[in-house]
């Protein structure tokens, strides 16, 4: 017998087996044939596997949405992953916001209160963006990948073996049906032999499937460890964000209680006072107008007189050039005005050092 004859016979046998299974399956659905039921333990294992697969997929997909809310970005990452290529590096949302704030702060001027605050906020946003990247990377490795491996690996194997078990059951039931219909002794003997063979194959496949399904408990234990890793990654991320914002709040809290105009306007022009802690607590909170007039009048008096005053430095300032004086938060310096000086600046002295200092960084002392 040549190879072609063998292939033809094999195809014919496969077609006959497929037809026999199809007839058996149809008759079972119509209630015209008996069906061998799986034992209760195996049924429970199958149900547990299906339930695990269903909820693993849902948790995995929603975790991906949580870590990357942008659907287009998720699709792009999926395509690059399938192509086995690294996705191009792009700024995430906190990093992009941080860069905008820093650029705006530099445009308005780092020496102005608003410009300096924008730069500090922008730097904090970029640090949060970096922490966000670390959370995504850690969660992908320690949580999403094991869940995906189960769906694409273990469960596919279970599905394959379960399908084989279904086919073996159909073969067994079809053989039992032919045994019932056999009239001649010779035909009955052949059918009985077929039932014994198909029963043995069904039992063996049921045992293989059962062993695979019992591994679901180990899968749950592994996924529990992965869940702990995910929670730890989130805890680290939120702790970092909290610390970053706490540090930022302290920095903004050291800003002057009255923000003068960033433009070169006369210091005698009243401006609304807003404290940094109040800004963080409520966008509408502001200091009483009475405090504005006190601070503004104090500066006006100093500028109109030839005397000097003590002033407390509210936050650090780096001199832009040799005509300015660098400042450290909470130090006390002597300030005074000289004729023709810019309205937003005073002269400051610290020992033998002197130079221009921005008014918005100072609090005049009585």
């Amino acid at each position: 017998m040549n190879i072609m004859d063998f292939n033809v016979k094999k195809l014919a046998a496969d077609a006959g087996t497929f037809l026999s299974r199809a007839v058996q399956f149809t008759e079972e659905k119509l209630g015209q044939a008996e069906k061998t039921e799986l034992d209760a333990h195996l049924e429970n294992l199958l149900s547990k596997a299906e339930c695990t697969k269903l909820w693993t997929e849902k948790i995995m997909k929603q975790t991906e949405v949580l870590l990357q809310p942008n659907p287009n970005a998720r699709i792009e990452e999926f395509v690059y992953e399938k192509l086995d290529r690294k996705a191009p590096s792009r700024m995430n949302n906190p990093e992009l916001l941080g860069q905008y704030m820093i650029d705006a702060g530099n445009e308005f001027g780092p020496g102005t209160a608003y410009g300096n605050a924008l730069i500090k906020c922008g730097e904090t946003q970029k640090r949060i963006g970096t922490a966000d990247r670390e959370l995504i990377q850690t969660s992908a490795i320690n949580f999403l990948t094991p869940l995906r491996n189960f769906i694409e690996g273990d469960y596919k194997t279970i599905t394959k073996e379960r399908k084989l078990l279904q086919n073996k059951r159909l073969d067994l039931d079809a053989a039992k049906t032919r045994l019932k219909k056999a009239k001649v002794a010779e035909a009955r003997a052949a059918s009985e032999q077929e039932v014994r063979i198909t029963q043995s194959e069904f039992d063996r496949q049921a045992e293989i499937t059962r062993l695979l399904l019992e591994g679901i408990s180990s899968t749950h234990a592994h996924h529990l460890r992965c869940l702990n890793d995910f929670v730890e990654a989130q805890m680290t991320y939120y702790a970092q964000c909290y610390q970053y914002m706490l540090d930022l709040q302290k920095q903004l809290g050291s800003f002057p209680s009255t923000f003068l105009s960033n433009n070169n306007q006369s210091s005698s022009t009243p401006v609304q006072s807003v404290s940094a802690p109040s800004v963080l607590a409520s966008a509408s909170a502001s200091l009483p107008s009475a405090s504005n007039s006190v601070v503004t009048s104090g500066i006006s008096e100093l500028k109109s007189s030839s005397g000097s005053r003590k002033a407390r430095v509210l936050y650090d300032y780096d001199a832009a050039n040799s005509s300015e004086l660098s400042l450290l938060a909470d130090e006390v310096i002597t300030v005074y005005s000289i004729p023709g000086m810019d309205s937003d600046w005073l002269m400051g002295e610290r020992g033998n050092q002197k130079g221009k200092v921005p008014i918005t960084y100072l609090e005049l002392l009585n």
Side-chain angles (χ1 to χ4, degrees), residues 57-68 144:
E57 282 183 330
K58 288 186 175 183
I59 291 171
M60 183 176 68
K61 289 178 180 178
Q62 193 57 39
T63 302
E64 291 172 344
V65 172
L66 173 69
L67 297 175
Q68 177 50 270
L144 289 176

Side-chain angles (χ1 to χ4, degrees), residues 286-348:
S286 63
L287 295 176
S289 58
S291 63
N292 298 349
S293 59
V294 170
V295 176
T296 304
S297 62
I299 295 173
S300 299
E301 290 174 4
L302 179 61
K303 282 183 171 291
S304 62
S305 69
S306 57
S308 62
R309 290 274 297 273
K310 293 291 185 180
R312 184 174 69 88
V313 178
L314 296 170
Y315 53 100
D316 296 348
Y317 176 75
D318 294 326
N321 51 56
S322 58
S323 68
E324 298 178 6
L325 181 65
S326 295
L327 304 173
L328 294 175
D330 293 327
E331 69 172 323
V332 176
I333 62 173
T334 302
V335 294
Y336 57 91
S337 181
I338 58 177
M341 194 170 195
D342 190 297
S343 60
D344 288 337
W345 297 78
L346 289 171
M347 287 298 295

Side-chain angles (χ1 to χ4, degrees), residues 225-353:
R225 292 192 294 271
C226 296
L227 182 61
N228 285 331
D229 291 340
F230 178 54
V231 170
E232 185 175 346
Q234 283 187 303
M235 182 182 69
T236 300
Y237 169 70
Y238 289 121
Q240 286 177 320
C241 291
Y242 174 76
Q243 188 60 52
Y244 292 153
M245 297 310 296
L246 193 63
D247 293 342
L248 176 62
Q249 185 184 44
K250 290 178 181 178
Q251 293 179 46
L252 295 183
S254 67
F255 275 37
S257 59
T258 302
F259 290 155
L260 298 182
S261 171
N262 290 328
N263 299 321
N264 292 330
Q265 297 175 349
S266 172
S267 60
S268 60
T269 304
V271 293
Q272 187 181 22
S273 170
V274 182
S275 65
S278 298
V279 170
L280 293 172
S282 170
S284 62
S286 63
L287 295 176
S289 58
S291 63
N292 298 349
S293 59
V294 170
V295 176
T296 304
S297 62
I299 295 173
S300 299
E301 290 174 4
L302 179 61
K303 282 183 171 291
S304 62
S305 69
S306 57
S308 62
R309 290 274 297 273
K310 293 291 185 180
R312 184 174 69 88
V313 178
L314 296 170
Y315 53 100
D316 296 348
Y317 176 75
D318 294 326
N321 51 56
S322 58
S323 68
E324 298 178 6
L325 181 65
S326 295
L327 304 173
L328 294 175
D330 293 327
E331 69 172 323
V332 176
I333 62 173
T334 302
V335 294
Y336 57 91
S337 181
I338 58 177
M341 194 170 195
D342 190 297
S343 60
D344 288 337
W345 297 78
L346 289 171
M347 287 298 295
E349 286 188 2
R350 181 202 303 112
N352 296 327
Q353 297 177 320

Side-chain angles (χ1 to χ4, degrees), residues 64-336:
E64 291 172 344
V65 172
L66 173 69
L67 297 175
Q68 177 50 270
N70 188 332
N72 293 329
R74 290 201 305 275
I75 293 173
E76 182 184 51
E77 290 172 0
F78 175 79
V79 171
Y80 275 100
E81 182 181 344
K82 291 301 179 183
L83 295 175
D84 197 22
R85 293 174 57 188
K86 185 177 180 180
S89 179
R90 292 190 178 91
M91 283 189 174
N92 54 30
N93 289 332
E95 288 174 329
L96 193 58
L97 174 60
Q99 190 59 54
Y100 286 161
M101 286 181 168
I102 291 172
D103 292 344
N106 287 324
E107 183 74 19
F108 297 147
T112 65
Y114 183 43
N116 191 276
L118 278 172
I119 291 174
K120 291 184 182 298
C121 289
E123 291 170 347
T124 298
Q125 290 297 330
K126 294 189 79 169
R127 283 195 287 269
I128 290 175
T130 300
D132 187 61
R133 287 183 183 277
E134 292 173 355
L135 170 64
I136 292 174
Q137 183 179 13
T138 303
S139 300
I141 295 172
N142 296 336
F143 187 58
L144 289 176
T145 298
L147 266 60
R148 188 176 290 109
N149 288 343
F150 167 72
I151 297 296
E152 298 178 356
D154 293 351
Y155 192 78
K156 279 190 175 181
T157 302
I158 290 173
T159 301
K160 177 183 176 182
E161 296 301 328
R162 182 180 181 179
K163 185 177 180 181
L164 285 175
L165 179 62
Q166 170 77 347
N167 290 336
K168 296 300 182 182
R169 186 193 63 74
L170 289 172
D171 292 342
L172 173 60
D173 289 342
K176 289 179 178 179
T177 300
R178 285 190 288 273
L179 176 60
K180 286 184 178 180
K181 293 180 179 179
K183 303 297 182 182
V184 184
E186 184 178 343
R188 286 187 62 81
S191 295
E192 287 174 352
Q193 177 67 13
E194 182 185 16
V195 168
R196 284 194 293 271
I197 293 173
T198 53
Q199 181 70 59
S200 176
E201 292 177 347
F202 170 76
D203 292 340
R204 184 169 64 251
Q205 185 59 40
E207 181 64 14
I208 292 172
T209 306
R210 181 186 65 78
L211 291 174
L212 282 173
L213 291 171
E214 287 178 345
I216 292 293
S217 296
S218 298
T219 298
H220 283 194
H222 178 50
H223 287 183
L224 174 58
R225 292 192 294 271
C226 296
L227 182 61
N228 285 331
D229 291 340
F230 178 54
V231 170
E232 185 175 346
Q234 283 187 303
M235 182 182 69
T236 300
Y237 169 70
Y238 289 121
Q240 286 177 320
C241 291
Y242 174 76
Q243 188 60 52
Y244 292 153
M245 297 310 296
L246 193 63
D247 293 342
L248 176 62
Q249 185 184 44
K250 290 178 181 178
Q251 293 179 46
L252 295 183
S254 67
F255 275 37
S257 59
T258 302
F259 290 155
L260 298 182
S261 171
N262 290 328
N263 299 321
N264 292 330
Q265 297 175 349
S266 172
S267 60
S268 60
T269 304
V271 293
Q272 187 181 22
S273 170
V274 182
S275 65
S278 298
V279 170
L280 293 172
S282 170
S284 62
S286 63
L287 295 176
S289 58
S291 63
N292 298 349
S293 59
V294 170
V295 176
T296 304
S297 62
I299 295 173
S300 299
E301 290 174 4
L302 179 61
K303 282 183 171 291
S304 62
S305 69
S306 57
S308 62
R309 290 274 297 273
K310 293 291 185 180
R312 184 174 69 88
V313 178
L314 296 170
Y315 53 100
D316 296 348
Y317 176 75
D318 294 326
N321 51 56
S322 58
S323 68
E324 298 178 6
L325 181 65
S326 295
L327 304 173
L328 294 175
D330 293 327
E331 69 172 323
V332 176
I333 62 173
T334 302
V335 294
Y336 57 91

